Amino acid sequence: MFRKVHYRLTLLCAGTTIAILLVMSLIYLYVSETGLSQSQFLSFQHAMDNFVHNFKQQNVITHEWLSHMEANNSYWIRITDNGVPLLFNQRKLDQNRLAVEEEALACFSASFSVENTDPSDEDTDYHLEFPFTASTGADYYACVARISQEQQHTEILVLYPLQELNAKIKSQRLHFALIDLAAVFLLSLFSFFFTKKLLAPIEQNRKEQIQFVAAASHELRTPLAVILSSVSAIKKASPEEEENFLSTIDSEGRRMSRLINDMLLLSQADARAFPIRLQPVECDTLLLNSFESFEPMAKEKNISFAISLPQAALPPCLCDAERFRQVIAILLHNAISYTPSGGSISMALSLDTVKKSETFVLSVIDNGIGIPDEEKEKIFQRFYRSDRSRSIKDHFGLGLPIASEIVRSLGGTIHVADTPGGGSTFLVCLPFRFCSKAPMFDNHKGICYNKNTKKALPTDDQPLD
Ligand code: ADP
């Protein structure tokens, strides 16, 4: 499906850009060609002006001068004096040229009506220039002039073949065609890779969605199967067994409900509708409370559990207490689950300088089974569980993805590293902008103020994106 969309998008993108390029090229070519023809015609008119003027000024027209004019300007000159061709025109000329000259004169007579006036009247002199195409298909600029002097009536025809101009135009068109061809190829290539890059995140997202649905269905199938089989077994069970089955149904139902809640939370994060309520939180107190909640669980597994807090009270942190507690719970639950009996876990909270800015750093350190380097990134993917932890029934592989979504929503980061000597260390960094160093904390009203502006910072009314 994505391949089809990719091809269509490539076609659309390349088609549009190529069409624009071609239209622009054609417009440019048209403007440039008409400009070229116009300037050439204007310079021909100008040259004819000079030619006729010089002709008038000279008492004697020499063959050299005329030959010079023809050779230097690629002109064909034909002059008649009172209807008689000049000696110059009695040279042996190409029949083709003579035929073209006749055609040009015929074209002039057909296109312009010049009255036959008194040959002695100099006011009736004229020279007219016009473009002309011979029957052979060749293009020319033509000039027909009449000069009257002392009863002499001179008629001049000058033809200027446009081969050079046409060759110039042809070469320009060829260059444009080649450039356009190269541009079409490059644009098609660019469109192909551009649309591929554009679609990559969407394709990746779709793949993840499919994997998420498959993994979620798989996770839900197990407790559902246990519930259904317990329900059918309950019908034939003794009252004692009935009690057992009911407790199984209850625990599997709770497991399903937990899983569904986790999935809902993640889908809210995807929809950017993750509810985050900011309020000033005394994180050290919150950490102590979590420590107390998890201590019995650690004790039960014979794991030594310690907490380390700075001697001076930490400033309050502007964050969502419930969500932060949830992150701590996920990390502690994992640490206890993946640390064998006899191991040790410690957690600490401090205000450190990380990358030049002050940051709350929460660390949960265990000396448990550890996480291999190749899995360190994967563990934050949804439903990812390492082979070694698949046997633990209470874990779905959604804890760390939820923790990282929460931390991201709070503007922080979460990392995992190896504990020296074995085990895993999880580090959560929350930026100090949520804390009370710049703002002041009003203990009575429970509001954070900015020291400079004296304005209240956003609190629990404002869900954060
Ligand atoms: P789960 O609910 O399976 O623990 P998580 O997303 O919390 O899911 O963790 C993903 C995987 O990361 C776990 O299956 C486990 O393999 C690994 N993991 C997480 N925390 C630890 C830890 N403290 N020590 C070793 N492995 C861990």
Side-chain angles (χ1 to χ4, degrees):
M1 175 206 153
F2 267 91
R3 186 174 290 186
K4 219 171 176 181
V5 174
H6 179 210
Y7 287 148
R8 278 191 191 163
L9 269 180
T10 305
L11 212 68
L12 187 76
C13 185
T16 316
T17 44
I18 288 169
I20 292 171
L21 175 89
L22 290 182
V23 169
M24 299 300 276
S25 299
L26 287 177
I27 291 174
Y28 177 81
L29 216 56
Y30 173 76
V31 171
S32 146
E33 281 180 16
T34 32
L36 205 66
S37 305
Q38 271 170 3
S39 77
Q40 192 90 357
F41 189 63
L42 276 176
S43 65
F44 177 70
Q45 279 182 316
H46 188 65
M48 287 305 101
D49 222 21
N50 285 338
F51 177 72
V52 172
H53 181 73
N54 286 345
F55 198 95
K56 272 189 191 175
Q57 299 300 308
Q58 295 182 40
N59 293 330
V60 182
I61 303 295
T62 62
H63 277 211
E64 282 79 24
W65 186 73
L66 288 171
S67 306
H68 187 76
M69 289 299 289
E70 277 203 335
N72 273 8
N73 304 298
S74 321
Y75 292 155
W76 295 352
I77 303 173
R78 174 177 174 151
I79 304 171
T80 54
D81 230 346
N82 290 331
V84 181
L86 274 196
L87 216 59
F88 177 70
N89 290 110
Q90 290 169 15
R91 295 166 295 167
K92 233 185 160 189
L93 286 176
D94 177 11
Q95 285 303 310
N96 229 358
R97 170 173 165 173
L98 291 173
V100 172
E101 286 175 359
E102 288 302 329
E103 272 184 54
L105 286 173
C107 172
F108 173 74
S109 319
S111 315
F112 304 95
S113 61
V114 184
E115 287 164 25
N116 248 345
T117 45
D118 180 3
S120 61
D121 184 359
E122 288 188 21
D123 289 346
T124 58
D125 286 1
Y126 61 82
H127 65 92
L128 287 167
E129 290 79 26
F130 57 97
F132 148 76
T133 306
S135 56
T136 53
D139 294 316
Y140 300 86
Y141 286 150
C143 168
V144 174
R146 194 182 72 169
I147 299 162
S148 305
Q149 267 172 340
E150 296 162 9
Q151 298 302 319
Q152 261 196 332
H153 185 86
T154 309
E155 275 198 335
I156 308 169
L157 168 73
V158 180
L159 282 177
Y160 173 60
L162 294 178
Q163 283 143 326
E164 219 174 281
L165 178 71
N166 285 348
K168 218 185 241 179
I169 288 175
K170 253 187 206 161
S171 117
Q172 182 170 299
R173 283 182 188 173
L174 189 76
H175 279 118
F176 259 83
L178 288 176
I179 291 170
D180 278 358
L181 217 66
V184 165
F185 174 72
L186 289 177
L187 279 174
S188 309
L189 217 65
F190 165 77
S191 305
F192 183 82
F193 288 109
F194 176 70
T195 47
K196 192 173 183 178
K197 210 165 173 64
L198 208 71
L199 285 174
I202 303 172
E203 194 174 355
Q204 178 64 22
N205 194 279
R206 189 165 165 268
K207 265 187 203 159
E208 279 170 10
Q209 294 274 342
I210 291 170
Q211 279 168 3
F212 183 76
V213 171
S217 325
H218 179 78
E219 290 297 336
L220 282 170
R221 213 168 45 201
T222 321
L224 199 65
V226 175
I227 289 173
L228 289 177
S229 61
S230 301
V231 168
S232 62
I234 222 166
K235 291 172 193 159
K236 302 169 212 159
S238 65
E240 266 169 40
E241 287 171 327
E242 209 172 273
E243 194 63 33
N244 265 344
F245 285 130
L246 280 176
S247 111
T248 308
I249 290 171
D250 181 60
S251 74
E252 290 301 316
R254 280 175 201 278
R255 207 163 100 84
M256 275 177 80
S257 148
R258 234 184 10 254
L259 176 59
I260 288 165
N261 281 342
D262 283 355
M263 290 196 304
L264 275 176
L265 207 76
L266 283 170
S267 77
Q268 275 176 335
D270 288 343
R272 297 210 151 251
F274 207 59
I276 291 284
R277 306 218 167 262
L278 293 181
Q279 58 191 149
V281 177
E282 284 169 10
C283 291
D284 34 12
T285 315
L286 195 133
L287 211 68
L288 270 172
N289 289 342
S290 302
F291 175 78
E292 279 163 15
S293 312
F294 279 88
E295 210 181 8
M297 198 173 161
K299 221 176 221 166
E300 198 180 304
K301 235 186 132 182
N302 192 25
I303 292 171
S304 88
F305 191 21
I307 182 169
S308 150
L309 290 169
Q311 290 229 314
L314 285 168
C317 166
L318 197 63
C319 76
D320 186 320
E322 254 331 290
R323 297 289 176 214
F324 193 43
R325 198 195 308 273
Q326 204 174 351
V327 173
I328 299 170
I330 289 169
L331 296 181
L332 287 181
H333 194 196
N334 278 348
I336 295 172
S337 302
Y338 301 117
T339 302
S341 172
S344 67
I345 297 169
S346 67
M347 64 172 175
L349 184 69
S350 56
L351 191 58
D352 292 352
T353 303
V354 178
K355 288 185 188 161
K356 290 187 188 162
S357 58
E358 281 187 288
T359 309
F360 273 106
V361 180
L362 162 75
S363 56
V364 177
I365 306 164
D366 67 54
N367 67 353
I369 59 171
I371 302 164
D373 284 345
E374 65 274 13
E375 284 185 13
K376 284 199 172 76
E377 262 186 39
K378 291 185 192 160
I379 57 169
F380 293 98
Q381 289 170 7
R382 292 168 191 191
F383 289 112
Y384 181 82
R385 276 181 295 175
S386 74
D387 291 339
R388 291 172 300 166
S389 54
R390 276 183 198 281
S391 51
I392 306 176
K393 211 181 162 197
D394 228 16
H395 292 254
F396 305 111
L398 290 181
L400 289 178
I402 290 175
S404 80
E405 286 296 346
I406 293 172
V407 172
R408 191 184 56 79
S409 306
L410 291 172
T413 55
I414 181 166
H415 299 288
V416 63
D418 292 327
T419 307
S424 315
T425 298
F426 283 85
L427 288 172
V428 175
C429 300
L430 288 184
F432 192 51
R433 68 183 168 85
F434 292 128
C435 312
S436 64
K437 196 171 180 187
M440 301 182 300
F441 180 57
D442 185 330
N443 261 321
H444 305 290
K445 293 181 190 161
I447 300 169
C448 267
Y449 291 96
N450 185 300
K451 256 183 188 171
N452 304 323
T453 61
K454 303 273 187 285
K455 278 188 183 158
L457 287 168
T459 58
D460 46 349
D461 310 327
Q462 302 283 324
L464 200 77
D465 267 348

